[in-house]
Amino acid sequence: MEDGKQIVFNIYGGSQQINPTAATAIQNYYGDQFAAEKLREESLNLSDLTPEAQALAVHISHVGNLTLYIAQLAQCESASALADVAMLLLEQEDKVTAELVVKAAFIKKLLALCPRLTKGNTIDNLRAAINNALAKRPRKRT
């Protein structure tokens, strides 16, 4: 870099083109989707969240929905209620997969946001409830 500044590129999904010899780069956004998403991101400051909520936020593509998920998890009183929220995450979030929702580390992140879940809150029991919910989901045709 000519002026001694360092440039850092953070790339998250999508298509990227890197031109190391280009003098300038222009990126055009069309439509209001980008603006609406940017406004939602700015309205939700992740540093204001608890560490438990921040741990879940890494799996959420649409950060505007994070507060909804946290509120729903806070109301869970049973393993099946937690499994329902896991299915909602699976349906609405690109980063959440069927393989992820049954992993102990992900279940622990969900469990940390469920203060009302006092019985049946072992990882094995919650995984079984999530597996039951997965089995009841209609199969998607490809």
Side-chain angles (χ1 to χ4, degrees):
M1 309 305 122
E2 295 174 10
D3 55 359
K5 293 183 181 178
Q6 183 178 6
I7 297 175
V8 176
F9 292 98
N10 295 316
I11 300 172
Y12 303 99
S15 299
Q16 294 80 32
Q17 181 176 2
I18 300 173
N19 297 319
T21 58
T24 62
I26 298 172
Q27 186 170 5
N28 298 309
Y29 294 99
Y30 299 98
D32 61 350
Q33 179 183 4
F34 172 75
E37 205 165 299
K38 190 70 174 165
L39 286 173
R40 267 184 269 142
E41 287 178 13
E42 290 172 357
S43 69
L44 181 63
N45 187 354
L46 295 180
S47 65
D48 293 340
L49 298 173
T50 64
E52 294 83 6
Q54 288 179 11
L56 180 62
V58 300
H59 301 286
I60 308 302
S61 303
H62 312 293
V63 293
N65 294 337
L66 181 61
T67 54
L68 171 71
Y69 302 136
I70 292 170
Q72 289 179 335
L73 288 166
Q75 298 301 314
C76 290
E77 294 181 350
S78 67
S80 62
L82 183 139
D84 291 341
V85 177
M87 293 304 102
L88 181 66
L89 286 164
L90 182 60
E91 292 169 5
Q92 295 185 353
E93 298 299 329
D94 298 332
K95 297 178 184 177
V96 178
T97 64
E99 293 79 22
L100 178 65
V101 294
V102 295
K103 291 192 177 203
F106 186 75
I107 294 171
K108 286 178 185 177
K109 290 178 183 182
L110 297 179
L111 184 58
L113 296 166
C114 299
R116 292 183 175 195
L117 184 59
T118 56
K119 293 184 179 177
N121 59 357
T122 65
I123 299 299
D124 289 337
N125 187 54
L126 295 171
R127 182 180 290 123
I130 292 170
N131 278 326
N132 287 340
L134 283 169
K136 292 177 185 175
R137 285 180 66 217
R139 300 257 185 233
K140 289 186 180 180
R141 293 185 178 178
T142 55

